[in-house]
Amino acid sequence: MTEENTHEKKFQFDIDEKALCFHGPLIYEAKILDRQWMDSNPDFQGPYYFVHYKGWKRTWDEWVPETRVLRWTEANLQMQQKLKGLYTVSIDKYGEQQQHSGKKRSRADSSNTEKDEDYLNRPEVRMDIPDTMKAQLIDDWENVTKNQQLVELPRTPTITELLEQYRKYKLDRKGSSGTEDLLDEIIDGIKEYFNKALGTILLYRFERHQYANIRKQYPKKEMVDIYGAEHLLRLFVQMPSLIAHTDMDADATVVLTEYLNDITKYMHKNQKQFFCSEYENATPDYVSLTSSI
């Protein structure tokens, strides 16, 4: 595949380079097989990479935007392990990823090393995911990638509705006076994070055609008004890595982390209400279409 010369300098990764890549909410070792500049995707116009995930069948090779690709650095390997740690309910039995412990490789230049040190020195974000919610994440992964099922959309409640219920719950509690502005800021921030992250790092490949159809069907709606708790939980698992790569100060990080954990507890308390009990089976045409992508 021929690259456009006008964009050649804008590619951050080389063909045959060893890298890390998001697939859904987790990070895997990958090799870049090809690269191309794409302008047709409304969510991300720019460099795309055709990647192969180590240990996976070739049928999982796919084109991904540059936002899903990470350098092979010690900091990113640590981030990979932190995310995996939130999925401790026997992930390995599903064959999702292989261990990378003990493997150290320095491929970063001096500027990348400084960025890694900044990352490691930032306040640690700890997400307390209850065991039943971890099991929910595993079931979610299995339903989509193994059983070829989908979350029926639009969801009820949507993420916007879920967070509004949480807002009312918090404001109705004693001792919550004076926190309304802060709470609104937190909720607006979560919604913004979700809208930006959904199309690039939160979806499994099998869901991408459904996402494209939803965007066409509801062009004026934000994704937080269509998706629900299943995908919001995926975002929360990713939040430690997303926050760690921002310039958020220590105090703001602590406050945000407290709210994220509190919302997670609220979702856990209302798990039967917020999460769908059954995923819908994809049609044969849909399965055929996604397998050919």
Side-chain angles (χ1 to χ4, degrees), residues 10 41 48 54 60 65 142 150-151 164 187 194 196 213 243 270 273 281:
K10 296 183 180 180
N41 192 322
Y48 276 73
K54 182 178 178 182
W60 287 98
E142 188 174 56
L150 297 164
V151 174
E164 180 58 26
I187 289 176
F194 184 86
K196 290 182 177 180
N213 288 339
I243 295 171
N270 299 278
Q273 174 191 348
N281 293 318

Side-chain angles (χ1 to χ4, degrees), residues 23 25-26 28 56 60 87 91 93-96 135-148 204 234 279:
H23 186 273
L26 292 176
Y28 302 92
W56 293 36
W60 287 98
Y87 283 72
I91 287 279
K93 72 179 180 180
Y94 298 116
E96 254 196 308
Q136 178 79 44
L137 288 164
I138 299 300
D139 290 342
D140 177 50
W141 171 82
E142 188 174 56
N143 286 334
V144 176
T145 64
K146 248 181 123 178
N147 301 338
Q148 295 187 320
Y204 295 112
R234 294 186 202 174
Y279 286 46

